[in-house]
């Protein structure tokens, strides 16, 4: 891994490269679409990259402008939410896919120089498309890190370096390739990009034992607003704190995470048990709220809740208890008999497997899918969706659950996922990292509504989920009503333009970060006072300083 820590650009370079530069200019002018309109934005950008970075690199092969035939393929490649690919969604002027760290540095310097708004994309899973759509500024470009996906696992050192464009599934696979008793506690969905995922927290089925992905980071490398590469030592503890939970796209471009591996047993156990309303789902879920956050830390039992059936068969609510236990089935049954006998699981429900296969199971791949599927590195399903989140601190009474079923049955394709907290999650203080949803949180709810047809009326579904969210206000955390930054929700408020003030941003900032919001603003003001890294919900600096154009 190269470790450049200085901006590498000075006017002296001009003379030494003037010959190549004029050759490039010739080349550029021959490319200009209109001979009298001067270079296009992508031409100016390519020219700047050439000057600021790699003098021998064919940048045009890494810049996808709207007129390039592969533009839409590249834009679509990792975008998860089809809502943000519709023709009505604003499109980037071009997409740049750096193949080295110095390209990322140059991209920051050049976008500042040309005053182009940038969006950064790693895995493209942002719920509101923040990594490839800007609703607030035009023109904008996307820096897509998909080609930067190196992973180096060091079992002796119990760590790994992983590059921003790698997926979490690739990381899991590379760990399992070297050891069957090491793992990493991050997301359940294997196509998440580590760049955006870990910086927003990153929870998964080992969170009750080991905390979040962000809680298990030991070092990082980022490109800051001045185009410098900083590691933990160079960035200092404040910024290192901010990037471990403060959310993507606010503080710089993450290049690498250095993560701490965690021990996993040779044999783990998984199960999924489903109960409908007719099978006593309401009482059972009422009980789950009191048990799941306090049960043995080796056990994570989430609940997937959705309507099933149709007009002919009748519709009901299905609740699926989907679990990972870090141990064998014998011990799991002991834990369940003691703490949660109501679920009634038996040895027949249990599947003993390896940790890496449990990753596939929890991610929803069919049994016997080979782990190599994790190397696919792209989403396995995509749809149109809108999602929201809540944290629950007191059990919802049965009457509340019954009202919730009525709401769910109104919608075609809704899904709720209830995710138990407790265990290690409670052992961190709220201010240990920007992620504040710690002790006292029983579980998190994710609400989703999905549709598959582009002609469908999104407003109908979005209004439905907003209504559901209103209904749940009684039962959710209050003052603030907390939300998970990695489940980005623009209903909570957004920066209207690049100069949004701290006071306006508090509305959503407090929900994602509680008391940590002020500290994030202070750090942002120090490391990116000009607000180079910004989007609809980026952390604002205290006062946006006037951009001084450097020419
Ligand atoms: C199907 C699905 C399943 C999910 N499952 C989980 C889960 O199990 N656990 C969990 O915690 N979350 C989960 N999430 C949420 C997920 O963690 C966030 O959407 C996360 O931000 C995705 O990161 P990304 O790199 O894939 O996304 P991107 O869309 O690429 O980025 C997300 C945000 O981070 C910024 N960003 C991206 N790369 C960088 C970078 N290198 N440096 C700085 N900023 C960057 C972007 O600009 C954007 O603001 C899920 C999301 C989806 C769609
Ligand atoms: C985009 O089109 C230009 C002009 O035709 C071409 O030079 C460039 O190589 C293309 N870029 C890519 C990534 O294909
Ligand atoms: C990209 O996605 C959009 C929206 O779903 C679709 O219209 C377009 O055809 C896709 N492009 C490619 C190349 O698949
Ligand atoms: C309803 O569901 C049943 C069982 O899954 C299926 O056989 C039937 O075709 C469905 N009917 C309609 C109208 O979708
Ligand atoms: C969490 O909070 C509860 C009660 O509010 C307290 O009894 C417990 O000690 C706390 N746990 C930790 C690990 O701080
Ligand atoms: C904010 O946006 C305006 C126009 O969109 C632009 O002129 C200005 O330079 C931007 N300011 C900053 C701080 O980027």
């Amino acid at each position: 891994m190269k470790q450049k820590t200085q901006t590498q650009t000075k006017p002296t370079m001009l003379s030494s490269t003037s010959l190549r530069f004029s050759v490039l200019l010739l080349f550029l002018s021959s490319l200009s679409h209109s001979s009298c309109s001067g270079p296009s934005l992508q031409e100016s950008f390519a020219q700047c990259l050439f000057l600021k970075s790699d003098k021998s690199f064919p940048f045009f092969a890494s810049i996808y402008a709207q007129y390039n035939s592969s533009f839409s393929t590249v834009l679509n490649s990792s975008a998860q939410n089809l809502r943000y690919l519709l023709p009505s969604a604003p499109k980037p002027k071009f997409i740049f896919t750096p193949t080295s760290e110095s390209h990322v540095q140059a991209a920051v310097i050049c976008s500042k120089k040309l005053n182009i708004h940038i969006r950064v994309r790693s895995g493209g899973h942002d719920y509101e498309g923040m990594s490839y759509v800007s609703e607030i500024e035009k023109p904008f470009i996307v820096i897509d890190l998909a080609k930067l996906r190196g992973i180096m696992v060091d079992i002796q050192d119990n760590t790994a370096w992983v590059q921003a464009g790698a997926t979490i599934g690739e990381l899991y696979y590379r760990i399992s390739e070297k050891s069957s008793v090491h793992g990493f506690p991050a997301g359940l969905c294997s196509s998440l990009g580590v760049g955006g995922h870990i910086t927003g927290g990153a929870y998964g089925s080992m969170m009750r034992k080991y905390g979040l992905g962000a809680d298990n980071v030991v070092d990082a490398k980022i490109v800051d607003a001045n185009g410098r590469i900083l590691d933990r030592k160079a960035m200092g503890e404040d910024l290192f704190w901010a990037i471990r939970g403060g959310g993507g796209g606010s503080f710089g471009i993450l290049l690498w995470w250095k993560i701490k591996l965690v021990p996993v047993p040779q044999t783990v156990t998984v199960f999924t048990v489903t109960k409908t309303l007719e099978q006593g789902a309401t009482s059972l879920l009422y009980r789950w709220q009191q048990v799941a956050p306090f049960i043995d830390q080796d056990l994570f039992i989430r609940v997937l809740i959705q309507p099933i059936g149709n007009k002919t068969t009748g519709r009901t609510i299905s609740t699926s208890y989907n679990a990972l236990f870090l141990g064998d089935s014998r011990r799991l049954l002991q834990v369940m008999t003691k703490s949660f006998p109501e679920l009634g699981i038996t040895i027949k429900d249990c599947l003993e497997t390896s940790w890496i296969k449990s990753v596939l199971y929890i991610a929803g791949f069919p049994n016997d899918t080979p782990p190599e599927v994790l190397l696919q590195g792209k989403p396995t399903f995509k749809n149109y969706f809108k999602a929201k989140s809540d944290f629950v601190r007191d059990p919802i009474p049965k009457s509340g659950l019954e009202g919730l079923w009525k709401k769910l049955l109104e919608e075609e394709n809704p899904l709720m996922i209830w995710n138990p907290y407790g265990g290690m999650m409670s052992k961190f203080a709220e201010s240990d990292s920007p992620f504040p949803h710690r002790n006292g949180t029983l579980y998190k709810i994710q609400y989703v509504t999905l549709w598959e047809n582009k002609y469908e009326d999104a407003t109908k579904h979005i209004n439905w989920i907003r209504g559901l969210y209103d209904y749940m206000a009684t039962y959710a955390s209050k003052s603030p009503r907390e939300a998970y930054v990695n489940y980005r929700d623009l209903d909570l408020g957004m920066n209207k333009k690049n100069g949004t003030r701290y006071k306006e941003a508090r509305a959503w900032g407090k929900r994602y970060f509680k008391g940590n919001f002020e500290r994030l603003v202070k750090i942002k003001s120090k490391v990116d006072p000009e607000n180079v890294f910004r989007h609809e919900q980026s952390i604002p600096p205290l006062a946006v300083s006037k951009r001084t154009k450097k020419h």
Side-chain angles (χ1 to χ4, degrees), residues 267 269 325 327-334 347 350-352:
T267 302
T269 309
F325 180 64
D328 61 19
S329 55
R330 215 174 52 93
R331 191 161 69 86
L332 169 62
L333 288 176
Q334 283 167 6
I347 191 79
C350 301
L351 177 64
E352 287 189 339

Side-chain angles (χ1 to χ4, degrees), residues 47-89:
Q47 179 184 328
C48 177
L49 292 175
F50 169 87
L51 285 174
K52 304 290 181 187
S53 172
D54 202 334
K55 253 43 96 234
S56 59
F57 193 80
F59 281 107
F60 271 104
S62 305
I63 295 178
Y64 302 83
Q66 291 181 0
Y67 58 73
N68 285 104
S69 57
S70 39
F71 174 79
S72 140
T73 309
V74 175
L75 179 67
N76 290 12
S77 59
S78 65
Q80 258 293 312
N81 195 343
L82 295 178
R83 264 171 71 207
Y84 289 104
L85 287 179
L86 286 171
S88 54

Side-chain angles (χ1 to χ4, degrees), residues 285-530:
L285 192 62
Y286 180 66
R287 181 77 191 133
W288 173 90
Q289 300 177 84
Q290 288 152 329
V291 172
F294 305 101
I295 208 162
D296 193 305
Q297 310 202 124
D298 286 334
L299 181 53
F300 169 87
I301 314 176
R302 62 174 183 157
V303 196
L304 287 84
I305 304 169
Q306 61 195 45
I308 54 164
N310 57 36
K311 282 203 185 98
T312 335
T313 58
R315 269 186 124 203
T316 184
I317 298 291
S318 148
T319 57
S320 276
Y321 294 79
N322 178 236
L324 169 69
F325 180 64
L326 296 170
D328 61 19
S329 55
R330 215 174 52 93
R331 191 161 69 86
L332 169 62
L333 288 176
Q334 283 167 6
V335 171
M336 289 300 282
T337 307
K338 177 164 162 270
S339 309
F340 199 14
E342 297 85 348
L343 191 59
I345 80 154
T346 68
I347 191 79
K348 276 188 285 184
D349 298 310
C350 301
L351 177 64
E352 287 189 339
T353 187
S354 62
W355 173 73
I356 194 67
K357 288 195 174 158
S358 80
V359 165
L360 299 174
Y361 179 90
I362 298 281
F365 288 99
N367 281 352
D368 302 326
T369 305
E372 283 67 30
V373 74
L374 298 172
L375 299 178
Q376 231 172 240
K378 53 175 197 268
T380 41
F381 69 92
K382 292 180 175 203
N383 32 42
Y384 300 84
F385 70 92
K386 170 68 192 164
K388 303 175 87 67
S389 63
D390 257 329
F391 288 87
V392 178
R393 295 176 162 264
D394 298 298
I396 302 176
K398 285 184 194 168
S399 59
L401 296 177
E402 277 152 10
L404 180 54
W405 307 151
K406 284 206 191 91
K407 285 270 172 203
L408 285 179
L409 288 166
E410 287 169 7
E411 177 69 347
E412 281 146 46
N413 212 354
L415 170 68
M416 278 200 300
I417 302 177
W418 292 21
N419 209 112
Y421 272 54
M424 185 55 116
M425 290 301 289
S426 299
K427 295 189 181 119
F428 291 91
E430 282 190 5
S431 59
D432 282 351
S433 81
F435 182 98
H437 323 287
R438 302 285 185 170
N439 196 18
T441 301
L442 296 179
Y443 58 97
K444 183 190 70 203
I445 299 181
Q446 174 177 203
Y447 313 94
V448 191
T449 174
L450 309 157
W451 59 101
E452 267 153 33
N453 185 338
K454 66 175 163 188
Y455 299 110
E456 213 162 315
D457 181 13
T459 329
K460 185 179 82 181
H461 299 292
I462 293 172
N463 286 341
W464 173 80
I465 205 167
R466 286 176 182 159
L468 174 68
Y469 191 71
D470 288 346
Y471 169 78
M472 291 298 285
T474 317
Y475 309 110
S477 58
K478 293 173 188 68
S479 314
R481 184 171 181 184
E482 298 164 48
Y484 179 32
V485 67
N486 260 352
Y487 291 163
R488 186 108 54 207
D489 178 3
L490 294 183
D491 290 351
L492 304 179
M494 59 189 252
N495 301 336
K496 292 285 186 293
K497 42 181 172 352
N498 57 10
T500 286
R501 294 304 159 123
Y502 145 83
K503 267 190 193 147
E504 299 156 30
R506 269 186 111 230
W508 48 264
K510 284 285 180 186
R511 288 160 174 266
Y512 292 147
F513 309 113
K514 296 177 85 172
N516 297 322
F517 178 64
E518 273 77 21
R519 184 168 172 203
L520 288 169
V521 170
K522 248 170 88 181
I523 295 168
K524 169 77 177 183
S525 312
K526 210 167 123 203
V527 304
D528 183 16
E530 290 181 13

Side-chain angles (χ1 to χ4, degrees), residues 114-152:
L114 299 167
N115 204 14
I116 327 175
H117 179 45
I118 52 176
R119 294 292 165 126
V120 184
R121 186 163 78 171
S122 290
H125 283 58
D126 194 285
Y127 277 18
E128 301 277 21
M130 230 85 294
S131 54
Y132 51 97
V133 173
S134 168
E135 307 270 5
I136 53 176
E137 266 176 87
K138 259 198 261 188
F140 71 100
I141 64 167
V142 171
I143 301 176
D144 188 323
L145 305 179
K147 290 184 178 154
L148 298 175
R149 53 202 314 146
I151 298 173
M152 292 167 296

Side-chain angles (χ1 to χ4, degrees), residues 79-296:
Q80 258 293 312
N81 195 343
L82 295 178
R83 264 171 71 207
Y84 289 104
L85 287 179
L86 286 171
S88 54
K91 301 289 179 283
K93 197 89 180 157
F94 59 89
I95 302 163
F96 174 48
T97 57
T99 50
S100 85
E101 298 177 17
S102 72
H103 297 177
V104 182
Q105 296 178 280
V108 170
I109 294 164
C110 294
S111 59
K112 273 173 79 174
K113 186 163 177 285
L114 299 167
N115 204 14
I116 327 175
H117 179 45
I118 52 176
R119 294 292 165 126
V120 184
R121 186 163 78 171
S122 290
H125 283 58
D126 194 285
Y127 277 18
E128 301 277 21
M130 230 85 294
S131 54
Y132 51 97
V133 173
S134 168
E135 307 270 5
I136 53 176
E137 266 176 87
K138 259 198 261 188
F140 71 100
I141 64 167
V142 171
I143 301 176
D144 188 323
L145 305 179
K147 290 184 178 154
L148 298 175
R149 53 202 314 146
I151 298 173
M152 292 167 296
V153 177
D154 184 343
I155 296 292
Q156 264 66 53
D157 190 44
N158 212 37
T159 58
W161 278 101
V162 53
Q163 214 167 7
T167 63
I168 201 74
E170 289 167 50
L171 173 61
Y172 295 156
Y173 182 87
R174 294 301 172 203
I175 296 170
S176 74
E177 206 178 32
K178 293 223 165 143
S179 160
S180 55
V181 292
H182 289 77
F184 185 64
L188 309 144
C189 161
S190 57
S191 53
L192 301 167
V194 302
H197 178 48
I198 297 179
T199 196
Y203 79 85
S205 50
M206 296 202 288
M207 63 188 278
R208 302 193 65 253
K209 175 88 170 189
Y210 297 118
L212 304 169
D215 297 331
N216 290 279
V217 166
V218 291
D219 204 338
K221 287 189 187 171
I222 72 168
V223 173
D224 76 357
N226 295 315
R228 294 173 306 179
I229 294 181
L230 308 174
D231 65 5
R232 176 175 183 170
K233 193 152 171 265
M235 77 178 84
E237 288 304 301
D238 266 348
L239 183 50
F240 186 62
W241 175 86
I243 60 174
R244 287 172 298 146
S250 286
F251 297 100
I253 303 184
L254 261 144
L255 292 176
W256 292 90
W257 292 111
K258 186 183 187 186
I259 56 147
K260 193 169 68 192
L261 305 178
V262 302
V264 297
Q266 266 317 331
T267 302
V268 305
T269 309
V270 291
F271 70 80
T272 305
V273 170
T274 300
K275 303 280 181 198
T276 61
L277 293 186
E278 293 69 27
Q279 295 165 321
T282 308
S283 312
L284 194 60
L285 192 62
Y286 180 66
R287 181 77 191 133
W288 173 90
Q289 300 177 84
Q290 288 152 329
V291 172
F294 305 101
I295 208 162
D296 193 305

